[in-house]
Amino acid sequence: MSFAQILRGSRAMASPKCLPESNYSTSHLRFPRLQSITSKKNSRARGDWGLKRTLPKIKTRYICVRQQDSLYKQADFQSSAKFVRLVRNWFDAGFVRDPSEVALLQELLKETGLKDTRDINKVFSPSKQSDENDNFRRYGVSGGIQYSNVPLINSRVTPNCESNCSNIRRRLTAHIISSDASTAYYGLGGLILRLPRTVVFNRNRSSPLFSQEQRISYTVYKNGRLRLVPFSGPELETHLAYPSEDSEVESFFNRDIQLVAKRDSSLDAPVSYQRGIMKFFMAPSQTSNNEANSSEKDNLSNS
Amino acid sequence: MPKFNANGLLRSFAAEMKKPWTAESLWYETVAKHPPTFQYARRIVPLYDPNKVKSRGKRLRKSMYQPQEIQWPEDKLRKRFYRDHPWELARPQIIAENDGNDQQYCDWSHMDQPRKALSGESVVQRTLWLIENSNMPVENAYDQARKEFYHLRAEQEIQQRVAHDQAQALGAVFTKSDLELGYEMDQNALNSWFDNASQYAEANRTKFTDPSVDISKTTQ
């Protein structure tokens, strides 16, 4: 073979160097622009990465080369472990295509007679719904491990601030202290949030370090939507008894909540209420007692 | 005049040799007997494209002897593929050669190669093969190669997940992934912050409370 053919078929020529760079800073880059290069362990020890010149001993395992031969007769290279690790973490997180979206695309393919799912983007442009979670919709994935939901929860919590400084609702940063497996399925009491102090108006009149401790529940639906509800005992019926998804009506989760609500309603609330009224009337004086007795007699006569 | 004149250098070396404290070089006698007769750099003229040379205008003579850029049809295909799929660049490749005959071991009538990992280069070579053997236009050949690539990539991912599940079912224990380690580090940072904040609040309790208010009653 001639030198030209060997050069054309070599691996160094096959590595692309075609995406222009505006500047050398790569901390702001969102996607890689140069090929990530690695080498075997023994070759790395000798500094042999397949380039024109050997490189010194470096700790990183993945590099990208801007120039093999610069003006100073050195290889201009830098680490590219950032993107390599990101790709690996993406697969470790277990993201998969949203099944409902895949089914929708299949139906659209049958209706329109197109052959490729990528062609649908040219025909249809779905409008963006406000109630959907942009973080997941952007990537077209659903669910994943709980770790990926942590930054979403931090950015969405907006509890009432019950301090002397102000009664206006405002956005506060919440720190997640603990979570357990029940959160993934029920969304009940899985997280404990502690809201740190944010404002100090006066030296002696500031609120405590932790204004309040609040338990919050969240549910991740199959379409990637996230639902956050501050949880408190007496408000159980108003917050969690009404499902917002059709598939949630007949689910085990909803039945459990309904049972809890019924059990709470069957307690002795009205009797205690009446007893309170009786005590209130009997306390002041004997004449009031007589009136109470007369009222009781009237009730008996009515019945 | 050229910048470096071989005969001039030889003449200056001859002057240096006359000095008594200078030792004679080994090559001096041979070069003195057979001095160079012409410039080698300008003797060999590379093949050049007239269109590129004409575009330079008055700098014709200067650009004629400059080394020209090497271009192949694969370059455009590579540029297009990696512009469409930039995250393929994040899959590390080994460019250290073993014997330099990689192209001879590949048969590009099909995309999957036993001695080569699946990458963007497979799409490029497959496209060229389709253009030459099937008489396809570039667009159709590129699309077909791209779809074959997607199919093989999906198969690869499914095989990896299945292998992982099988290994776990048979009792393999994997180390913690980067995500789990990051989660633990986050929790440790929050725990340490919580401890420090609690100690700080306890130490400076009087600063943060109004002395006129009885704390014991409020806590109850």
Side-chain angles (χ1 to χ4, degrees), chain A residues 1 4 7-14 16 18-19 30-38 49-51 62 83-89 91-95 116 118 145 147 175-177 179 194 196-197 203-206 209-210, chain B residues 70 72-74 78-79 82-83 85-98 100-104 121 128 146-147 150 157 161 177-179 182-183 186-187 190-191 193-194 197-198 200-201 206-211:
Chain A
M1 297 174 69
L7 185 66
R8 183 174 178 179
S10 66
R11 297 181 189 178
M13 289 294 112
C18 51
L19 302 180
R30 301 301 178 84
F31 57 88
R33 296 170 189 269
L34 293 172
Q35 178 65 53
S36 179
I37 291 164
T38 186
W49 293 74
L51 306 178
Y62 312 103
F83 298 114
V84 176
R85 207 179 291 131
L86 183 56
V87 168
R88 193 193 308 151
N89 289 343
F91 287 115
D92 287 345
F95 289 113
D116 193 1
R118 283 175 170 267
I145 63 168
Y147 177 76
H175 296 272
I176 295 167
I177 303 299
S179 67
R194 294 181 184 273
R197 172 170 58 88
R203 179 173 178 179
N204 293 326
R205 292 188 172 277
S206 62
L209 182 61
F210 299 106
Chain B
I70 300 169
W72 289 305
E74 291 105 329
R78 283 193 201 105
K79 192 169 189 177
Y82 286 111
R83 187 168 287 174
H85 314 81
W87 283 100
E88 288 293 321
L89 296 167
R91 296 170 184 268
Q93 292 186 9
I94 296 174
I95 63 172
E97 299 274 355
N98 293 320
N101 296 323
D102 288 352
Q103 292 295 328
Q104 295 183 0
E121 187 64 18
L128 288 182
R146 178 167 57 87
K147 290 172 186 176
Y150 298 156
E157 288 177 17
R161 291 182 194 277
S177 62
D178 289 354
L179 295 174
Y183 184 56
D186 286 350
Q187 282 300 127
L190 288 171
N191 293 340
W193 168 81
F194 177 67
S198 299
Y200 183 75
T206 55
K207 271 188 183 179
F208 300 142
T209 55
D210 196 345

Side-chain angles (χ1 to χ4, degrees), chain A residues 160-219:
Chain A
N160 284 317
C161 185
E162 301 175 356
S163 67
N164 297 330
C165 303
S166 173
N167 288 324
I168 301 169
R169 290 176 65 91
R170 56 182 175 176
R171 188 178 296 267
L172 291 174
T173 302
H175 296 272
I176 295 167
I177 303 299
S178 68
S179 67
D180 50 42
S182 67
T183 307
Y185 191 79
Y186 289 106
L188 268 176
L191 301 171
I192 299 172
L193 305 176
R194 294 181 184 273
L195 310 178
R197 172 170 58 88
T198 55
V199 178
V200 177
F201 292 110
N202 197 2
R203 179 173 178 179
N204 293 326
R205 292 188 172 277
S206 62
S207 59
L209 182 61
F210 299 106
S211 61
Q212 59 182 351
E213 181 178 336
Q214 217 179 48
R215 294 180 74 87
I216 191 167
S217 65
Y218 72 94
T219 306

Side-chain angles (χ1 to χ4, degrees), chain A residues 83-137:
Chain A
F83 298 114
V84 176
R85 207 179 291 131
L86 183 56
V87 168
R88 193 193 308 151
N89 289 343
W90 180 265
F91 287 115
D92 287 345
F95 289 113
V96 295
R97 289 295 301 277
D98 192 353
S100 60
E101 189 176 356
V102 174
L104 179 62
L105 291 176
Q106 295 297 329
E107 289 179 2
L108 288 174
L109 281 177
K110 291 179 182 177
E111 289 177 2
T112 58
L114 296 170
K115 296 182 178 179
D116 193 1
T117 54
R118 283 175 170 267
D119 297 335
I120 290 176
N121 293 326
K122 302 175 184 176
V123 181
F124 301 96
S125 58
S127 62
K128 184 177 176 181
Q129 299 182 23
S130 59
D131 60 342
E132 286 190 352
N133 196 322
D134 298 339
N135 292 279
F136 283 148
R137 180 56 55 188

Side-chain angles (χ1 to χ4, degrees), chain B:
Chain B
M1 283 291 292
K3 193 172 183 180
F4 299 100
N5 193 347
N7 287 291
L9 290 174
L10 186 60
R11 201 174 300 111
S12 63
F13 262 90
E16 288 288 331
M17 288 300 158
K18 294 179 181 177
K19 298 175 182 177
W21 59 82
T22 305
E24 183 178 338
S25 303
L26 292 176
W27 53 266
Y28 174 71
E29 185 178 355
T30 305
V31 176
K33 289 181 180 178
H34 309 283
T37 57
F38 60 90
Q39 293 280 333
Y40 283 96
R42 294 218 166 185
R43 187 71 175 181
I44 303 167
V45 179
L47 297 175
Y48 65 94
D49 191 355
N51 297 323
K52 294 179 183 177
V53 177
K54 287 179 181 177
S55 65
R56 299 247 182 178
K58 294 182 179 179
R59 306 182 66 186
L60 174 66
R61 292 172 57 84
K62 196 168 186 180
S63 63
M64 188 183 292
Y65 303 105
Q66 291 285 326
Q68 299 176 24
E69 191 177 349
I70 300 169
Q71 290 184 357
W72 289 305
E74 291 105 329
D75 295 337
K76 289 187 177 180
L77 291 171
R78 283 193 201 105
K79 192 169 189 177
R80 180 175 178 180
F81 179 81
Y82 286 111
R83 187 168 287 174
D84 294 341
H85 314 81
W87 283 100
E88 288 293 321
L89 296 167
R91 296 170 184 268
Q93 292 186 9
I94 296 174
I95 63 172
E97 299 274 355
N98 293 320
D99 53 3
N101 296 323
D102 288 352
Q103 292 295 328
Q104 295 183 0
Y105 305 131
C106 296
D107 176 20
W108 293 111
S109 58
H110 51 274
M111 174 73 73
D112 197 9
Q113 299 297 329
R115 290 185 60 138
K116 181 177 168 54
L118 189 68
S119 66
E121 187 64 18
S122 306
V123 177
V124 172
Q125 296 296 331
R126 175 70 176 156
T127 305
L128 288 182
W129 190 93
L130 289 172
I131 290 168
E132 290 172 4
N133 296 74
S134 303
N135 291 325
M136 277 188 179
V138 182
E139 290 292 329
N140 294 359
Y142 177 72
D143 280 346
Q144 180 168 338
R146 178 167 57 87
K147 290 172 186 176
E148 289 175 15
F149 175 79
Y150 298 156
H151 189 70
L152 287 174
R153 191 61 89 190
E155 276 189 10
Q156 193 181 14
E157 288 177 17
I158 291 167
Q159 283 176 11
Q160 283 178 2
R161 291 182 194 277
V162 169
H164 187 271
D165 294 341
Q166 283 179 349
Q168 271 191 336
L170 291 173
V173 179
F174 293 98
T175 55
K176 295 176 180 177
S177 62
D178 289 354
L179 295 174
E180 292 170 8
L181 290 171
Y183 184 56
E184 287 185 2
M185 290 165 71
D186 286 350
Q187 282 300 127
N188 293 335
L190 288 171
N191 293 340
S192 62
W193 168 81
F194 177 67
D195 294 336
N196 293 336
S198 299
Q199 291 175 14
Y200 183 75
E202 194 69 25
N204 298 274
R205 181 178 285 273
T206 55
K207 271 188 183 179
F208 300 142
T209 55
D210 196 345
S212 63
V213 176
D214 193 350
I215 303 167
S216 58
K217 293 182 180 178
T218 56
T219 52
Q220 290 175 1

